[in-house]
Amino acid sequence: MTKNNLIVFILTIGVFSILNTEMGVIGILPIVASTYNIEISVAGLLVSLFALAVAVSGPILPLLLSKYNRKTIMIISLGTFFICNVISAFAGSFWLVLVARVVPAFLHPVYVSLSFAIASSSVAKQDAPKAVAKVMVGVSAGMVLGVPVMSYIANLFSLEIAMLAFALVNLIALAYLCQLKKKCLMALSSKF
C-alpha cells in the first residue's frame, strides 16, 4: 500500500468511526430509554443535540482550528470520541450520556472536513476525486452499518457493550492515525 493510499485508508476508517457513533445510536434509542427509565422522545435528544452541535460548530470550528497541526487536531478529535464513548458506556445518568455525546459532536465537522481536504491533497490532482470518494465510503458505511450493527450488539449483549463498540471503532481509527510514519505525514502535518 502506498503512503497516499494508506493515508486515505486511515481517513476512511476515522470518518467511519465518527459516523458510526453519530448514526449508530438511532438503533438503540429504545434501549437507552428503557435503561435510563426515560421517554423515547427524551432519548431522542442523543440524536437531535448531536446534530445541533454539528450544525453549530461546522462553519466555525474548522476556521478556528486552522492554525493548528492537522494530525494533532485529528488525534484530539478521535481521542475525544473514544473517551466520550467510554464515559457513555459507564454513565449512571442519561444526562451524563447526553453531555458525553454532545461534546465530541462539536469536533465531527472538523475531522470530516479535514479528512476530505487531506484525501484530495495527498494524491495527484487527477486522483483527488477518487481519494475523496474513498473517504466518502467511510461516511456511507458509518451511516448504513452503524444503526443495524449497534442495534444488534445492544440487543445481543447490552447498551454498555454497544457504547464500548463505538469506542473500539474510534480507538482502532486513532491507533491507525497515531502509527503513521513520518514519511506519510506530509499531508497531515501542515495546517488547514
Side-chain angles (χ1 to χ4, degrees):
M1 185 178 284
T2 67
K3 70 177 181 177
N4 295 341
N5 287 336
L6 179 62
I7 289 171
V8 171
F9 172 75
I10 291 168
L11 296 172
T12 303
I13 296 296
V15 169
F16 169 77
S17 78
I18 287 175
L19 267 290
N20 184 50
T21 298
E22 176 186 6
M23 302 305 288
V25 77
I26 294 169
I28 61 176
L29 288 178
I31 297 170
V32 170
S34 173
T35 300
Y36 293 105
N37 198 25
I38 56 174
E39 296 291 324
I40 193 86
S41 59
V42 175
L45 290 172
L46 293 176
V47 177
S48 56
L49 290 183
F50 189 102
L52 182 62
V54 169
V56 167
S57 67
I60 301 166
L61 273 185
L63 292 173
L64 290 177
L65 298 176
S66 64
K67 60 185 171 185
Y68 299 103
N69 180 282
R70 291 174 170 185
K71 184 179 179 189
T72 302
I73 297 301
M74 295 179 92
I75 288 172
I76 289 169
S77 297
L78 286 175
T80 302
F81 269 87
F82 169 72
I83 290 167
C84 288
N85 279 324
V86 170
I87 290 170
S88 295
F90 299 108
S93 154
F94 170 76
W95 303 108
L96 180 57
V97 173
L98 187 61
V99 169
R101 191 147 158 80
V102 170
V103 167
F106 287 101
L107 295 171
H108 175 292
V110 174
Y111 188 92
V112 173
S113 63
L114 259 179
S115 294
F116 288 130
I118 292 168
S120 67
S121 66
S122 67
V123 297
K125 190 173 184 174
Q126 68 271 15
D127 294 329
K130 280 198 275 186
V132 171
K134 288 177 183 176
V135 174
M136 191 65 188
V137 168
V139 173
S140 301
M143 290 173 63
V144 171
L145 296 175
V147 175
V149 170
M150 290 307 155
S151 179
Y152 178 75
I153 291 170
N155 283 304
L156 187 63
F157 299 107
S158 68
L159 177 63
E160 293 80 14
I161 298 296
M163 294 294 191
L164 289 174
F166 289 142
L168 177 63
V169 177
N170 298 139
L171 184 62
I172 290 168
L174 182 59
Y176 272 122
L177 183 61
C178 289
Q179 291 300 314
L180 278 177
K181 299 196 180 346
K182 283 192 177 186
K183 66 181 180 180
C184 294
L185 294 178
M186 194 175 302
L188 286 173
S189 62
S190 63
K191 296 175 183 174
F192 281 67

